[in-house]
Amino acid sequence: MSLKLLIPDIGDFENVEIIEILVKKGDKIKKNDPVVTLESDKSSVEVPSNFAGTIENIKVKIGDKVSKGDLILTLDSSESNNEEKKEIKKTNEEIPPVTEKIIQEAESAKKEKAPVVETNIKETKHTRLVNEVKMSSINDDIDPAETKEWLESLSAVLENDGSERAHFLIKQLIDQSYKAGSKIPHTQTTPYINTIPPDEEKKSPGDQNIERKIRSLIRWNAAAMVVRANKKHPELGGHIGTFASAATLYDVGMNHFWRAKNNKFGGDLVYFQGHSAPGMYSRAYLEGRLNEKQLDKFRQEVKPGGLSSYPHPWLMPNFWQFPTVSMGLGPMLAIYQARFMKYLINRGLIKDEGRKVWAFIGDGEMDEPESLGAIGLAARENLDNLIFVVNCNLQRLDGPVRGNGKIIQELEGIFRGTGWNVLKVIWGSYWDSLLANDKTGHLVKIMNETVDGEYQAFKARNGLYVREKFFGKYSETLELVSSMSDTDIWRLNRGGHDPHKVYAAYYKAVNHSGSPTVIIAKTIKGYGMGKSGESVNTTHQQKKLDVDDLLYYRDRFDVPLTNEQVKNIEYFKPDENSEEIKYLKKRRLELGGFIPERSSYSKPIKVPNIDIFDFMKTSTGTKEMSTTMALVRMLTNLLRDKNVAPKLVPIIPDEARTFGMEGFFQKVGIYAHEGQKYEPEDSAQLSSYREEKSGQVLEEGITESGSMSSWIAAGTAYTNHDIEMIPIYLFYSMFGFQRIGDFAWAAGDSQARGFLIGATAGRTTLAGEGLQHQDGHSHLLASTIPNCISYDPTFHYELATIFREGLRRMHEKNENIFYYITTMNENYSHPEMPKDCESGILRGMYKIKESSDSQKAKIQLLGSGTILREMMAASDILKKDYQVDSEVWSVTSFNELRRDGLEMERQNLLNPGEKNKKSYIEECLGKHQGPILAASDYIRLNADQIRPYTKKSFYSLGTDGYGRSDTRKNLRNFFEVDKEHVVAYSLSILANEQLVASKHAEDAIEKYGIDKKKPMPTKM
Ligand SMILES: Cc1ncc(C[n+]2csc(CCOP(=O)(O)OP(=O)(O)O)c2C)c(N)n1
Ligand SMILES: [Mg+2]
């Protein structure tokens, strides 16, 4: 049977051009195979076939303009008919799961007739309220008579004593049931006690005695390395207090939970709190991974072998996996890491091995907006592979985190409200019997009433103080501890220092499903540091311990060192055959290896055959397009390459339509872990909003930092998941580095590979959007990141050359760099690729327009981005109207030119006796006469970067000042980067250099109406 394939609904567009025909007569195609590509002035999109069959006749050709309903081709479906029928039958039989659920719910609702409970309560304001409560719980009521009694009692209280009393009673009931182990009903916070009641605690299988010994040694060596480094060089700094508070939290994980990556398992991913780095080195020392010489090089990294202050994969690429020390990055990166792990699983790219992502966060750090900023996503996406551990030592750098409140309760409320599984680990085991004996509830009452400032002060004092100030608040609690000595009271430990409580919480967390877990653990900052640091406000920066402090620390943790050894601040490592070392290694062996450890076994991606980019080397003729559109076309083509396609991770923060990428929705789908539970409003359209479990596009919503975190997760998948991915994150260029600079820095540190695309770039190119949108400096921000390579291409072939090289360098050759490319939204035609310009494009500049050498005066014009086109037009005017010759250079990257210039200059200075080597800029411009005028759509500093290396008269134009909304023409005039200003300034420069008479410049200034009195745009 012959079938007709028509142009489907393409939204608001009509007369759209066919730019590619992807099939030919006789081809056998499957349903959904793309047959033609359409391109509007904004985007390009492939049209898939509705049927399977053999192509009979193609009724369109490239360049045709088509609209909805036009015939594309006919195809014979007879062969595939049977299969299709089978498929149709199958789909008819299969009721979609969502529908099935709706039917089931409807049926069960019919069957279950709600039992009616008679009441004789008078209808009052309170009884209505009670009735509402009753109705909502009626369906699962197992004892309606009992319910009735309770409700009547409540009603009576409301009538007689008022709502406050009723609230009090309800609260008592909730607290009572909570203490008995019931987690319902849902309230924002629960009492200030552990979430897991003692009888529900899973017992640790570990040998607590040995584990304590190991932990003590790790504590000691961590402190020793900081103190030793500072004894040598007091400027080096370091932290003892953070790890001292968190040692147990880490040790329980290391001994029992964190599974390393090996050839059988992908490994859990642990984001360590930055300031606890000494603890990780210290453990690695006991494990035999680091030696004393290395410990002695803590924070001395300039010579090889030093240890980083904090987790920095760039500096310790075989050790650290995640940079975290800039507060707030770790939590957010961990969330998107967990999400990306699910993405890879749902796309079938990695196996689901039940791996977990753990993130350790300081309680002070939780104040960073980033720390809490993405917790909603974690809950929404049911990231049960994610565990946060918030180390609530109640202090940050200057003082208490919440002196007047309770950080644990505050965080509990926030996380519970978002849907996380919250496990509070507040009190250690020594409190268990006290809490069990708290028959009057006064102990929990004090716990609830005491604020963090007090809790902190208690631990800076002694047992007597705690007796008086804490237990002494009520006679009932004083009585509770009457038989305990002050030492006993002092020993009452906090949950985060109790390995039993920590183990129980971790066990619950790893076995929890359906939502992420946060463990909020109460600890003591500077635990064990005694008077010099324990729980005192100045602990954070304590990096020196005097002999008395050290002796105290040794005794506190029973470290087997003599006084002399302590005075020398010696490290302590037991013999390899000691029970401690054997135990520690055995535990890690059973958990698959060491953590942290960074490695990669990913396979490089073969760069596509060159012809995939060939279409971008020919002229577009009269057809105009933006570089953003050219990029999207290129990506669409890349999605046809079998090696590259599955690895592409397009990431967009709600701007796909702005960039003309809506075609991706249908082509590769939007990732949604639940699939699509609704029929999208635009389902009949070609670019309908298609969400899918295996979708490829990460449509992040309006979160640049979230998108960047996804990009980093994808860009480091080669090490964290042993699979090379190609993330491409497109954003408004102004909302890139400016917004998420710290994440971009962390991306460099993490050695993320991939593309950042600053779309709608350029201060005068993104015309109407105004001050906040128009970017005039992202390239300068990009240039501050050493391994970020950035380009500002003008033409489609430049873009293709740069992109292809990026793919090759990063994903085939595995260089640890990333690319920042700006693309623009100005439509213009693109010329054919000139011969032999590829290397110049990549190095940063090439000559795009020769001079005729027929004129006397000559100038070198260097342009970048869309301003290159102003330069090219100015060059024509200069020649025609003023007989001035020029060479025009397309500068694809001032940043790369500067880097080359810097390096060459340094080489020459270091080799004073040798013949100077030329920078690439000199190589290009050295032989050409005339001063240089360089311009871009960015501030002058962008072009000025190359000034020292040109060794010639150099002038620059740029868009310094606040952007504002207007037309491109007016903006370029305002910022003085239009062709008229280029002409006038060129003539002025030549006059300055005494190469033309100044009257020409004066003429031009007058002719173009340039107002000499206008202030600098920076002042307007
Ligand atoms: C973005 C950022 N701002 C400031 C700092 C400086 N800083 C380092 S540690 C710290 C206090 C951390 O307190 P907390 O998160 O409670 O950690 P802990 O108490 O466990 O050391 C601050 C402000 C930083 N590292 N990063
Ligand atoms: Mg803290």
Side-chain angles (χ1 to χ4, degrees):
M1 186 174 63
S2 180
L3 294 169
K4 287 179 178 170
L5 183 65
L6 309 178
I7 295 286
D9 184 349
I10 41 179
D12 294 336
F13 299 104
E14 282 209 357
N15 290 325
V16 185
E17 187 177 339
I18 293 193
I19 60 159
E20 281 177 305
I21 296 183
L22 305 165
V23 289
K24 55 185 186 317
K25 195 171 168 179
D27 279 359
K28 277 192 182 157
I29 59 168
K30 295 195 291 294
K31 189 176 169 185
N32 288 332
D33 277 357
V35 291
V36 294
T37 308
L38 304 179
E39 190 164 82
S40 68
D41 57 350
K42 246 185 91 240
S43 68
S44 53
V45 55
E46 290 173 354
V47 178
S49 173
N50 296 343
F51 326 98
T54 308
I55 308 277
E56 286 175 343
N57 272 309
I58 298 173
K59 301 287 188 187
V60 289
K61 57 183 188 313
I62 289 177
D64 281 1
K65 300 272 172 74
V66 291
S67 301
K68 183 181 170 186
D70 289 351
L71 178 62
I72 308 173
L73 51 80
T74 58
L75 81 175
D76 174 16
S77 69
S78 45
E79 244 181 73
S80 52
N81 237 0
N82 289 341
E83 271 171 37
E84 200 141 286
K85 265 189 206 147
K86 261 188 249 157
E87 209 171 282
I88 291 168
K89 190 155 175 266
K90 202 167 144 233
T91 47
N92 278 349
E93 277 165 8
E94 267 175 23
I95 300 165
V98 183
T99 320
E100 178 116 47
K101 192 160 173 264
I102 294 168
I103 295 169
Q104 273 173 10
E105 276 169 9
E107 283 177 352
S108 56
K110 256 195 277 170
K111 273 183 241 151
E112 270 176 38
K113 210 167 163 234
V116 180
V117 180
E118 295 284 332
T119 65
N120 54 7
I121 303 167
K122 273 193 288 164
E123 180 82 350
T124 64
K125 192 171 75 175
H126 297 310
T127 55
R128 269 202 307 280
L129 196 137
V130 172
N131 278 339
E132 268 169 36
V133 176
K134 187 182 61 188
M135 289 312 290
S136 65
S137 58
I138 215 155
N139 281 346
D140 30 64
D141 197 345
I142 55 163
D143 188 348
E146 189 186 36
T147 311
K148 186 170 159 235
E149 269 174 44
W150 279 70
L151 292 176
E152 279 172 354
S153 304
L154 180 66
S155 184
V157 173
L158 281 165
E159 284 292 343
N160 301 328
D161 303 311
S163 59
E164 242 181 74
R165 172 73 188 153
H167 189 257
F168 175 81
L169 287 175
I170 293 169
K171 181 88 175 35
Q172 297 305 304
L173 292 175
I174 292 169
D175 289 1
Q176 186 65 28
S177 77
Y178 182 83
K179 272 168 71 183
S182 156
K183 307 293 172 293
I184 46 170
H186 186 89
T187 48
Q188 193 198 350
T189 57
T190 58
Y192 198 62
I193 55 173
N194 294 347
T195 309
I196 307 171
D199 57 356
E200 272 188 32
E201 281 168 13
K202 178 81 184 173
K203 293 280 169 275
S204 166
D207 181 327
Q208 292 310 319
N209 201 20
I210 300 182
E211 287 189 16
R212 182 179 183 274
K213 281 190 195 165
I214 293 170
R215 195 157 51 246
S216 297
L217 296 180
I218 294 176
R219 286 177 181 285
W220 172 264
N221 290 325
M225 80 186 264
V226 176
V227 178
R228 282 169 76 97
N230 281 281
K231 213 166 177 188
K232 230 190 329 174
H233 305 289
E235 68 197 276
L236 290 180
H239 302 87
I240 303 170
T242 303
F243 179 69
S245 70
T248 308
L249 299 176
Y250 287 115
D251 240 39
V252 173
M254 286 287 195
N255 284 331
H256 301 286
F257 291 93
W258 302 333
R259 300 153 301 172
K261 169 169 146 181
N262 54 36
N263 56 2
K264 294 192 192 76
F265 181 72
D268 293 323
L269 301 173
V270 186
Y271 288 70
F272 295 99
Q273 201 187 337
H275 294 77
S276 59
M280 307 314 130
Y281 296 138
S282 177
R283 172 171 258 274
Y285 166 59
L286 293 190
E287 289 168 346
R289 304 166 66 202
L290 295 176
N291 57 37
E292 289 188 11
K293 234 170 114 187
Q294 286 169 297
L295 294 194
D296 272 344
K297 287 189 145 194
F298 175 55
R299 294 191 169 216
Q300 298 145 75
E301 303 176 81
V302 163
K303 287 200 182 131
L307 300 184
S308 294
S309 46
Y310 302 117
H312 293 301
W314 183 261
L315 299 167
M316 293 179 67
N318 300 321
F319 193 86
W320 292 118
Q321 296 171 282
F322 309 109
T324 48
V325 79
S326 177
M327 317 245 112
L329 299 191
M332 192 140 182
L333 290 170
I335 288 175
Y336 282 87
Q337 177 67 259
R339 168 8 165 64
F340 192 69
M341 198 188 263
K342 296 246 179 189
Y343 168 92
L344 289 175
I345 293 167
N346 284 332
R347 285 195 53 208
L349 292 168
I350 61 171
K351 277 190 292 184
D352 185 357
E353 302 176 295
R355 295 164 66 199
K356 304 279 180 195
V357 177
W358 293 70
F360 281 77
I361 312 152
D363 47 357
E365 184 177 5
M366 291 311 295
D367 280 346
E368 288 285 4
E370 289 85 355
S371 300
L372 289 167
I375 62 169
L377 169 114
R380 203 160 59 238
E381 304 246 345
N382 307 133
L383 298 182
D384 49 12
N385 56 344
L386 177 68
I387 298 161
F388 270 17
V389 182
V390 187
N391 175 19
C392 291
N393 53 27
L394 312 186
Q395 288 176 244
R396 45 185 166 76
L397 194 151
D398 283 340
V401 175
R402 291 289 181 275
N404 292 320
K406 283 215 273 296
I407 186 64
I408 291 179
Q409 297 300 85
E410 183 180 323
L411 292 175
E412 177 191 31
I414 296 169
F415 279 96
R416 269 166 72 94
T418 321
W420 283 54
N421 172 38
V422 180
L423 301 174
K424 292 197 290 189
V425 183
I426 303 178
W427 308 111
S429 307
Y430 291 116
W431 289 90
D432 286 349
S433 56
L434 281 182
L435 281 161
N437 290 330
D438 178 31
K439 303 292 180 221
T440 63
H442 279 80
L443 179 56
V444 175
K445 185 170 157 59
I446 305 181
M447 288 172 165
N448 285 332
E449 286 168 356
T450 305
V451 293
D452 281 356
E454 292 174 288
Y455 279 121
Q456 184 199 338
F458 294 150
K459 282 299 176 189
R461 304 282 161 80
N462 52 42
L464 176 62
Y465 187 86
V466 178
R467 184 192 299 277
E468 287 171 357
K469 299 283 177 184
F470 182 75
F471 293 107
K473 278 186 187 163
Y474 297 106
S475 54
E476 290 85 346
T477 42
L478 205 52
E479 174 60 27
L480 206 59
V481 293
S482 59
S483 62
M484 289 169 74
S485 69
D486 291 347
T487 315
D488 290 338
I489 289 180
W490 189 239
R491 200 177 291 129
L492 289 169
N493 53 347
R494 293 199 176 160
H497 293 296
D498 185 330
H500 304 282
K501 301 287 180 193
V502 175
Y503 183 92
Y506 285 9
Y507 184 86
K508 258 222 151 53
V510 296
N511 289 297
H512 176 79
S513 63
S515 60
T517 293
V518 59
I519 293 164
I520 312 179
K522 183 164 171 158
T523 61
I524 298 165
K525 193 141 177 171
Y527 184 65
M529 286 168 72
K531 65 175 174 19
S532 64
E534 189 153 342
S535 214
V536 300
N537 275 337
T538 50
T539 312
H540 188 80
Q541 279 151 314
Q542 184 67 268
K543 57 183 180 174
K544 290 179 188 154
L545 295 178
D546 62 25
V547 174
D548 284 348
D549 293 332
L550 287 166
L551 288 168
Y552 175 86
Y553 205 65
R554 176 204 58 185
D555 295 342
R556 173 76 184 72
F557 296 112
D558 306 316
V559 183
L561 286 172
T562 64
N563 287 359
E564 198 52 30
Q565 287 173 311
V566 169
K567 278 178 201 153
N568 293 335
I569 326 169
E570 287 182 25
Y571 297 117
F572 186 85
K573 183 176 172 186
D575 189 79
E576 280 298 302
N577 288 320
S578 64
E579 58 174 6
E580 292 93 329
I581 298 294
K582 282 205 302 214
Y583 183 91
L584 169 124
K585 287 194 171 169
K586 186 161 175 273
R587 292 308 312 134
R588 286 314 316 164
L589 198 68
E590 277 173 21
L591 289 160
F594 295 121
I595 277 183
E597 192 168 78
R598 188 176 183 278
S599 62
S600 174
Y601 300 97
S602 68
K603 285 200 198 80
I605 300 170
K606 203 174 152 4
V607 165
N609 201 328
I610 193 111
D611 60 18
I612 230 174
F613 299 94
D614 272 357
F615 76 99
M616 292 173 79
K617 292 183 179 169
T618 57
S619 163
T620 58
T622 53
K623 186 174 165 62
E624 297 192 335
M625 68 163 80
S626 67
T627 43
T628 301
M629 199 164 149
L631 174 87
V632 173
R633 245 174 101 167
M634 182 173 72
L635 294 179
T636 310
N637 266 11
L638 277 173
L639 284 170
R640 294 179 199 142
D641 181 274
K642 70 174 186 341
N643 295 318
V644 172
K647 304 300 179 65
L648 280 180
V649 185
I651 303 169
I652 325 151
D654 200 30
E655 291 288 352
R657 293 180 203 279
T658 310
F659 309 138
M661 285 181 76
E662 59 270 42
F664 280 49
F665 297 165
Q666 264 308 310
K667 183 152 178 69
V668 289
I670 298 163
Y671 173 71
H673 75 286
E674 295 172 300
Q676 192 155 36
K677 294 176 174 173
Y678 62 99
E679 183 172 318
E681 163 278 317
D682 55 2
S683 58
Q685 287 180 19
L686 183 55
S687 297
S688 143
Y689 200 84
R690 183 167 72 93
E691 301 194 66
E692 203 183 2
K693 194 167 176 181
S694 61
Q696 197 161 346
V697 177
L698 285 172
E699 167 78 59
E700 296 292 10
I702 310 166
T703 166
E704 281 77 18
S705 37
S707 305
M708 189 63 191
S709 302
S710 274
W711 185 85
I712 293 173
T716 53
Y718 70 90
T719 155
N720 297 320
H721 308 287
D722 285 332
I723 179 167
E724 183 85 28
M725 300 298 288
I726 310 171
I728 302 177
Y729 166 27
L730 286 98
F731 48 87
Y732 264 111
S733 73
M734 192 62 150
F735 305 140
F737 290 92
Q738 165 138 322
R739 183 83 182 208
I740 50 81
D742 207 4
F743 281 96
W745 188 252
D749 189 350
S750 310
Q751 300 161 55
R753 303 170 188 155
F755 295 91
L756 295 176
I757 306 292
T760 57
R763 181 152 286 157
T764 67
T765 309
L766 179 59
E769 295 286 337
L771 184 151
Q772 199 100 61
H773 285 69
Q774 291 164 348
D775 166 31
H777 52 266
S778 66
H779 279 286
L780 289 165
L781 299 179
S783 80
T784 60
I785 300 175
N787 49 340
C788 171
I789 316 283
S790 47
Y791 289 100
D792 181 20
T794 311
F795 295 121
H796 65 339
Y797 62 83
E798 296 177 349
L799 177 65
T801 307
I802 291 162
F803 199 89
R804 185 174 200 285
E805 179 67 356
L807 281 179
R808 192 191 67 81
R809 286 182 68 182
M810 294 187 286
H811 304 294
E812 190 172 288
K813 295 293 164 205
N814 295 157
E815 274 188 63
N816 289 322
I817 49 177
F818 66 93
Y819 272 55
Y820 174 58
I821 307 173
T822 41
T823 61
M824 295 153 297
N825 68 344
E826 183 175 353
N827 289 335
Y828 46 81
S829 58
H830 297 250
E832 188 180 320
M833 182 168 176
K835 281 205 171 55
D836 303 325
C837 65
E838 200 164 327
S839 146
I841 292 173
L842 299 175
R843 295 184 76 179
M845 69 189 283
Y846 68 96
K847 199 193 297 169
I848 195 164
K849 191 162 177 277
E850 287 284 356
S851 75
S852 59
D853 272 339
S854 58
Q855 320 287 342
K856 272 191 209 145
K858 192 167 163 185
I859 189 163
Q860 303 296 318
L861 298 175
L862 276 59
S864 202
T866 47
I867 302 306
L868 170 64
R869 298 179 64 253
E870 301 289 338
M871 288 292 204
M872 293 169 84
S875 165
D876 290 343
I877 299 171
L878 281 169
K879 184 153 185 201
K880 194 162 141 272
D881 294 355
Y882 299 95
Q883 292 75 54
V884 167
D885 216 345
S886 56
E887 254 124 10
V888 185
W889 300 80
S890 170
V891 178
T892 48
S893 178
F894 283 109
N895 287 346
E896 285 303 289
L897 291 178
R898 174 174 178 272
R899 283 178 178 169
D900 173 78
L902 273 174
E903 207 168 331
M904 242 10 115
E905 184 178 75
R906 176 172 173 272
Q907 276 299 313
N908 291 336
L909 290 174
L910 287 172
N911 298 285
E914 289 176 21
K915 192 167 173 263
N916 275 359
K917 288 202 178 101
K918 283 194 168 63
S919 69
Y920 178 63
I921 305 162
E922 263 187 287
E923 258 178 49
C924 290
L925 295 170
K927 289 189 231 88
H928 295 280
Q929 280 174 10
I932 297 165
L933 175 60
S936 75
D937 211 6
Y938 296 83
I939 61 175
R940 282 174 176 77
L941 208 51
N942 190 32
D944 283 346
Q945 293 187 84
I946 66 164
R947 186 190 290 263
Y949 316 109
T950 57
K951 313 255 167 84
K952 292 190 174 223
S953 291
F954 182 95
Y955 301 81
S956 67
L957 297 176
T959 55
D960 300 65
Y962 282 119
R964 57 209 62 207
S965 45
D966 211 313
T967 61
R968 284 190 188 113
K969 188 166 171 39
N970 286 346
L971 285 171
R972 285 182 189 158
N973 180 280
F974 175 80
F975 284 108
E976 307 179 1
V977 290
D978 57 357
K979 59 182 185 294
E980 291 83 4
H981 278 85
V982 174
V983 169
Y985 277 118
S986 293
L987 293 167
S988 251
I989 290 165
L990 291 167
N992 216 18
E993 306 280 323
Q994 306 199 333
L995 293 168
V996 301
S998 56
K999 78 172 178 36
H1000 295 303
E1002 288 290 356
D1003 281 356
I1005 289 170
E1006 200 182 317
K1007 178 176 170 188
Y1008 297 127
I1010 295 172
D1011 176 8
K1012 293 184 191 181
K1013 295 211 179 72
K1014 187 187 108 182
M1016 277 289 284
T1018 43
K1019 295 183 176 158
M1020 294 169 77

